Amino acid sequence: MIPVSEPVMGEKELEYITECIRTNWVSSAGKFVDRFAEEFAGFCEAKYAVPVVNGTAALHLALMILGIGRGDEVIVPTLTFITTANVVTYTGATPIFVDSEPYTWNIEPAKIEEKITDRTKAIIPVHLYGHPADMNAINTIAEYHNLFVIEDATEGLGSLYKGKRVGTLSDIGCFSFNGNKLITTGSGGMIVTNNESWAEEAKFLSTQARVPGGEYFHPKIGYNYRLTNIQAALGVAQLEKIDEYIKIKRRNAALYHKLLNSVKGITLTPEADWAENVFWIYSILVEDEYDMSKDELMAKLTENDIGNRPLFYPLHLQPPYIKNKPEKLEVAESLYRKGINLPSSVSLKESDIEKITQVIRCSVS
Ligand SMILES: *Cc1c(COP(=O)(O)O)cnc(C)c1O
């Protein structure tokens, strides 16, 4: 089976992890933790980076640092992984869902303002499947209404928005290094920001709010959200290859584009002219003009040992968030109905893409 997204491990990963084990630095302190933070900040061109245990923890901390809690509202796209909304719920605040923009599939800036109330405190844009959200438009709205902006930036790691790295285009950027992301630490996450006191607060809250020093003194409720040295060792090794990974992802996407461009009824993963998309997960939309339904095409891909997934199920329709009279967020619902994730790993071979696109093209009679 060609997987949708698998990690790629090498000799460096083995070498650095072995070093952790040989030196006994296996837990939450150690030189790889600091090195990973420093080098990741360097890659993102952010002043500060704080490693954490996963992407969910990164977002949860970001909301807490900005003082978001009970009674507050936070605007999120409905078409995203459920973490984006769940972290809002963890704080006691309420996620408010906004429809997608039809071309980039990201949160539609023009539909944000109608959802803003006097309780709104923040917006969390997501760079869905790699494509940057329209950050200038989002930041303009946020400034006007005095809201924070937190980027759920994982999927856009390596993408550029008007020439700038995503994750540093807002107050706080959050990343995940789960096994299916561009780079992985097995499980892991990172907060990036240019605000020193927020970075310090993130570190503080992630270590049970313990005041540094010998005493066990905790002025606040904290969390154990630290990344271990072993995980960070993986991260350092992976980060050494990130530029190469980005090139491979973009080259694979270009080949998908070339081989699927002329297929009637297939809409390709977008790339706006102001964006450089890392194409984290290359996806297609199956339109009515295509010869099969989306489900039929997915079944055919599976039959041919080709991994595939539907797009994220819109969050405003998920049991924890659906209202008695469900909202209609039509663009996201339609993208969900039509969309398929295709294999996108860095390990994907040219012959794999030829096989995958062959199946999609030959479905057309
Ligand atoms: C993967 C992902 C997360 C969650 O990260 P974990 O490390 O699994 O907690 C959050 N948001 C988005 C958009 C993601 O793709």
Side-chain angles (χ1 to χ4, degrees):
M1 188 71 137
I2 307 172
V4 171
S5 185
E6 68 176 357
V8 178
M9 295 286 121
E11 285 304 314
K12 282 283 183 182
E13 283 81 350
L14 194 58
E15 181 190 323
Y16 293 165
I17 285 203
T18 306
E19 188 180 324
C20 296
I21 292 166
R22 290 237 161 88
T23 58
N24 216 19
W25 287 95
V26 293
S27 194
S28 53
K31 69 169 196 192
F32 284 116
V33 178
D34 298 332
R35 196 169 142 196
F36 187 37
E38 216 166 277
E39 289 174 6
F40 193 81
F43 175 79
C44 292
E45 293 169 29
K47 281 198 187 146
Y48 309 99
V50 181
V52 291
V53 69
N54 55 46
T56 306
L59 286 160
H60 186 205
L61 282 175
L63 288 164
M64 288 189 292
I65 290 161
L66 301 177
I68 288 155
R70 204 163 299 283
D72 296 336
E73 292 177 354
V74 176
I75 288 178
V76 302
T78 189
L79 195 66
T80 174
F81 186 53
I82 199 163
T83 291
T84 319
N86 281 353
V87 289
V88 175
T89 308
Y90 298 165
T91 67
T94 305
I96 303 294
F97 301 107
V98 170
D99 204 357
S100 314
E101 188 272 303
Y103 180 65
T104 68
W105 312 353
N106 280 314
I107 191 166
E108 166 69 274
K111 291 180 181 165
I112 290 177
E113 256 177 329
E114 64 200 52
K115 299 275 177 128
I116 293 175
T117 70
D118 52 8
R119 297 175 158 217
T120 312
K121 290 281 152 47
I123 307 170
I124 311 183
V126 177
H127 308 299
L128 197 71
Y129 301 123
H131 197 293
D134 189 354
M135 293 306 296
N136 284 0
I138 293 163
N139 286 332
T140 302
I141 295 165
E143 263 165 52
Y144 184 79
H145 294 275
N146 203 14
L147 309 175
F148 292 115
V149 179
I150 301 167
E151 286 165 271
D152 185 351
T154 300
E155 301 185 4
L157 177 60
S159 291
L160 299 175
Y161 174 75
K162 302 191 174 177
K164 287 195 199 134
R165 292 252 176 255
V166 305
T168 52
L169 305 165
S170 60
D171 293 302
I172 301 180
C174 297
F175 292 91
S176 159
F177 308 118
N178 191 42
N180 59 343
K181 314 296 184 183
L182 180 67
I183 63 168
T184 185
T185 59
S187 177
M190 192 79 80
I191 286 178
V192 299
T193 181
N194 289 328
N195 183 311
E196 188 178 9
S197 61
W198 289 342
E200 276 170 9
E201 185 72 1
K203 191 158 186 201
F204 178 60
L205 289 178
S206 73
T207 53
Q208 287 294 12
R210 182 178 174 186
V211 173
E215 291 280 342
Y216 287 95
F217 185 65
H218 309 262
K220 284 185 183 174
I221 298 280
Y223 300 80
N224 180 5
Y225 276 175
R226 296 166 303 177
L227 192 75
T228 67
N229 201 46
I230 295 186
Q231 290 168 310
L234 273 185
V236 170
Q238 292 264 293
L239 202 52
E240 287 173 7
K241 295 177 285 197
I242 195 167
D243 291 326
E244 187 196 331
Y245 283 7
I246 294 166
K247 269 198 208 114
I248 293 170
K249 288 275 207 198
R250 289 187 54 80
R251 197 174 64 209
N252 286 348
L255 188 57
Y256 267 128
H257 265 69
K258 184 174 142 215
L259 297 174
L260 290 177
N261 202 18
S262 56
V263 182
K264 198 168 131 239
I266 295 291
T267 299
L268 307 178
T269 290
E271 185 174 47
D273 53 14
W274 42 261
E276 207 172 297
N277 190 350
V278 71
F279 298 100
W280 171 58
I281 299 286
Y282 195 89
S283 306
I284 54 172
L285 303 180
V286 180
E287 312 287 351
D288 290 343
E289 304 82 70
Y290 190 69
D291 265 23
M292 283 184 170
S293 71
K294 178 193 86 167
D295 291 344
E296 284 165 341
L297 178 56
M298 286 176 79
K300 191 163 174 211
L301 288 165
T302 305
E303 252 168 59
N304 283 276
D305 290 327
I306 296 164
N308 60 90
R309 296 252 184 101
L311 300 198
F312 294 122
Y313 191 99
L315 301 184
H316 69 285
L317 300 176
Q318 301 270 5
Y321 296 118
I322 195 165
K323 301 205 172 110
N324 288 337
K325 185 174 170 290
E327 274 188 283
K328 247 197 117 23
L329 301 178
E330 280 172 26
V331 179
E333 289 171 35
S334 143
L335 289 168
Y336 165 70
R337 267 196 310 275
K338 300 193 281 192
I340 306 180
N341 294 154
L342 294 177
S344 305
S345 311
V346 165
S347 57
L348 201 64
K349 295 191 287 291
E350 208 174 299
S351 58
D352 293 331
I353 299 178
E354 276 159 9
K355 176 182 164 184
I356 297 158
T357 52
Q358 184 73 6
V359 169
I360 296 167
R361 272 180 299 161
C362 288
S363 302
V364 184
S365 53

